[in-house]
Amino acid sequence: MKVDWPRNDYSRVPFRLHHDEDIYALEMERIFRGPTWNYLCLEAEIPTPHDFRTTWVGDTPVIVSRDKEGSVHAFVNRCSHRGAMIVRELKGNAERLVCLYHRWCYSNAGELTGLPFRQGLRGEGGMPKDFDMKAVSPRRLRVQTLNGVVFGTFSGETEPLDQYLGEFGTGMVKRFFHKPVKILGYSRQRIHGNWKLYAENLRDTYHASLLHEFFVTYGVDRATQKGGVKMDGRHRHNMNHAYAGSDSQEEALEAYADTAARLDRMRLRDTKLLQFTNEYPDGMNLAAPVFFPNALLIQINNSIGTRQIRPKGVDAHEVFQTLFCYEDDDEAMVRHRLLSANLVGPAGFVSMEDGEAIEAVQRATRSARDAHAVIEMGGRGPVKDETHRVTQPPLRGLWSSWAELMGVEAPGGIR
């Protein structure tokens, strides 16, 4: 595979990278099944022995489960016999995991432990005498957890999780999961666009207060607020963050005067949705650390959760969101978190807009594979952190990391 990068700082990205079937297939192998740590689930979703949770790594279905001793395992959710999905439920508890097709049976550690008529019937048929069940058991992932967040990798070459996330990444996981959590629920959003468009969107602070008028109008997230972007040393992972109440209405009105923002034309009768109780020492009301290739931790006011990117072919992906609270939250805080969650999800005030924008890009660039995206907001050259958010270096950092894993770095590429 060859990619002609117009500039070595990844400020020009070919649109064809979102439409090429061969590139998509290579991404699944070199990125999702390559030397990366993929977010799988939360330990709070599998708290007891024999609990299981189904998930995805790229386009590979995966089961995460606890064995009877409580150890966490992850393995491909594909029967060794004919390839059917072993478990189709989102989550559950079972001492044995049994494929519905021919009733082949697996342990919570992913080992094939039995199959009907292995010895045949009345002396006829059956499997060969030297059939080795262990040899054909589903492929397993290496698993590591950090503060209750479960990550997995298919590669034996992936560095330890703390090194992969770096000081920045591990710090953000510990910020969100500094005490036990309880699951509140799930949502799914299918977007008809390449998965990398969503990965870009999560790193694109420039769009947030322009596309999401609700954020600007009611002061949840404005470019005029104090904030910035932070990245790990390799620019794989990124965080957009902001502080509510750090700007004035006058500053916002001046900055957004030429946009369609309704700062001086709309008010909410019920403002409970906008209420924010500061619960972290850093005081941020918006924190969105993104971990390459498939995960986001998200705090918007007091709504907290994870999002997982699940590619569904070259032109579609699913965003799977897990909402949680802290175990010591009182009833009022739980209700407030659930109310705040109306900002996000498939029908949220802002998430619908992200999906629509991504689909608009996918449709419009299908016939423009020789054209390029222009990613120069914040300047060209080396990728660096910023103390403001009218900037896009994290997008160029994403493409630099992507190109390295795919073996298509620009000659003399800037990292």
Side-chain angles (χ1 to χ4, degrees):
M1 186 186 80
K2 185 173 185 290
V3 176
D4 294 320
W5 299 99
R7 293 182 178 171
N8 69 354
D9 64 354
Y10 304 98
S11 60
R12 294 287 189 277
V13 176
F15 287 131
R16 79 175 183 89
L17 301 182
H18 301 303
H19 300 278
D20 191 301
E21 294 276 2
D22 292 336
I23 289 175
Y24 174 82
L26 204 59
E27 288 171 342
M28 297 304 107
E29 188 61 38
R30 294 188 178 179
I31 295 178
F32 289 96
R33 292 190 291 271
T36 61
W37 284 103
N38 290 265
Y39 165 70
L40 299 179
C41 67
L42 302 178
E43 285 197 85
E45 298 175 86
I46 50 170
T48 61
H50 307 305
D51 280 348
F52 65 83
R53 160 83 150 75
T54 54
T55 186
W56 293 79
V57 172
D59 60 4
T60 303
V62 169
I63 299 170
V64 184
S65 64
R66 286 191 189 274
D67 62 24
K68 62 183 179 180
E69 283 80 30
S71 297
V72 178
H73 304 269
F75 52 96
V76 174
N77 187 9
R78 186 184 300 125
C79 184
S80 305
H81 182 216
R82 295 287 302 282
M85 193 171 282
I86 302 167
V87 176
R88 295 180 295 167
E89 300 92 341
L90 172 64
K91 58 191 299 187
N93 182 282
E95 293 186 23
R96 299 179 299 169
L97 304 173
V98 182
C99 174
L100 85 163
Y101 200 172
H102 297 89
R103 313 301 294 176
W104 283 35
C105 181
Y106 300 87
S107 72
N108 295 108
E111 299 166 333
L112 176 61
T113 58
L115 54 114
F117 305 126
R118 181 184 175 186
Q119 306 298 329
L121 183 64
R122 300 189 185 95
E124 296 180 326
M127 300 297 285
K129 293 186 183 300
D130 63 351
F131 176 68
D132 185 352
M133 291 194 294
K134 185 176 181 179
V136 299
S137 292
R139 185 177 178 183
R140 299 181 64 179
L141 290 76
R142 284 200 295 140
V143 172
Q144 287 193 19
T145 62
L146 177 63
N147 281 49
V149 184
V150 184
F151 293 84
T153 179
F154 281 104
S155 175
E157 299 177 0
T158 313
E159 67 261 50
L161 179 62
D162 59 344
Q163 293 180 27
Y164 180 79
L165 296 178
E167 183 178 353
F168 152 75
T170 57
M172 290 313 301
V173 171
K174 292 176 181 179
R175 174 195 187 268
F176 275 79
F177 296 93
H178 62 283
K179 56 183 176 179
V181 302
K182 182 170 63 176
I183 306 302
L184 293 179
Y186 304 98
S187 69
R188 301 184 185 194
Q189 181 179 8
R190 190 176 182 91
I191 299 174
H192 295 282
N194 186 268
W195 71 273
K196 296 187 295 299
L197 292 174
Y198 193 77
E200 283 187 316
N201 181 78
L202 296 176
R203 294 164 169 82
D204 181 8
T205 61
Y206 176 41
H207 88 278
S209 63
L210 297 170
L211 176 65
H212 305 312
E213 290 185 23
F214 186 96
F215 274 176
V216 180
T217 302
Y218 302 114
V220 179
D221 180 13
R222 295 169 174 164
T224 48
Q225 292 171 341
K226 178 184 176 183
V229 295
K230 296 179 181 179
M231 290 168 277
D232 70 304
R234 182 57 191 87
H235 309 119
R236 293 177 290 198
H237 319 306
N238 166 72
M239 183 181 73
N240 168 28
H241 63 284
Y243 300 84
S246 57
D247 67 343
S248 67
Q249 191 76 353
E250 291 70 27
E251 289 174 314
L253 281 166
E254 181 180 359
Y256 290 97
D258 296 327
T259 73
R262 299 177 174 89
L263 278 78
D264 57 351
R265 289 176 284 164
M266 295 186 70
R267 296 289 184 272
L268 285 178
R269 288 184 179 179
D270 186 345
T271 60
K272 288 195 292 291
L273 179 65
L274 304 177
Q275 291 173 6
F276 168 57
T277 301
N278 182 25
E279 54 186 325
Y280 300 101
D282 53 39
M284 293 186 288
N285 79 300
L286 173 70
V290 189
F291 303 122
F292 186 82
N294 77 333
L296 166 74
L297 303 179
I298 181 71
Q299 173 209 348
I300 302 177
N301 285 347
N302 294 112
S303 171
I304 47 179
T306 70
R307 295 183 200 167
Q308 183 190 49
I309 304 174
R310 300 176 171 183
K312 300 297 179 184
V314 71
D315 58 359
H317 64 278
E318 179 181 272
V319 179
F320 188 97
Q321 180 165 246
T322 303
L323 293 172
F324 61 86
C325 66
Y326 296 110
E327 280 191 354
D328 60 0
D329 283 347
D330 60 23
E331 183 179 351
M333 176 55 84
V334 172
R335 289 181 61 84
H336 179 52
R337 292 196 199 280
L338 289 170
L339 178 65
S340 300
N342 286 296
L343 290 168
V344 294
F349 290 122
V350 296
S351 296
M352 288 191 297
E353 296 162 352
D354 289 321
E356 182 64 22
I358 287 170
E359 291 185 0
V361 173
Q362 189 76 12
R363 289 192 298 267
T365 59
R366 189 172 288 117
S367 60
R369 301 188 184 193
D370 294 330
H372 306 85
V374 178
I375 307 176
E376 294 188 17
M377 187 61 64
R380 308 187 191 103
V383 180
K384 62 184 187 305
D385 292 351
E386 298 283 6
T387 55
H388 62 91
R389 293 178 298 145
V390 186
T391 191
Q392 292 179 315
L395 275 73
R396 296 192 291 112
L398 165 68
W399 283 108
S400 172
S401 298
W402 178 91
E404 180 185 12
L405 283 168
M406 294 289 285
V408 294
E409 286 187 280
I414 291 174
R415 297 184 174 182

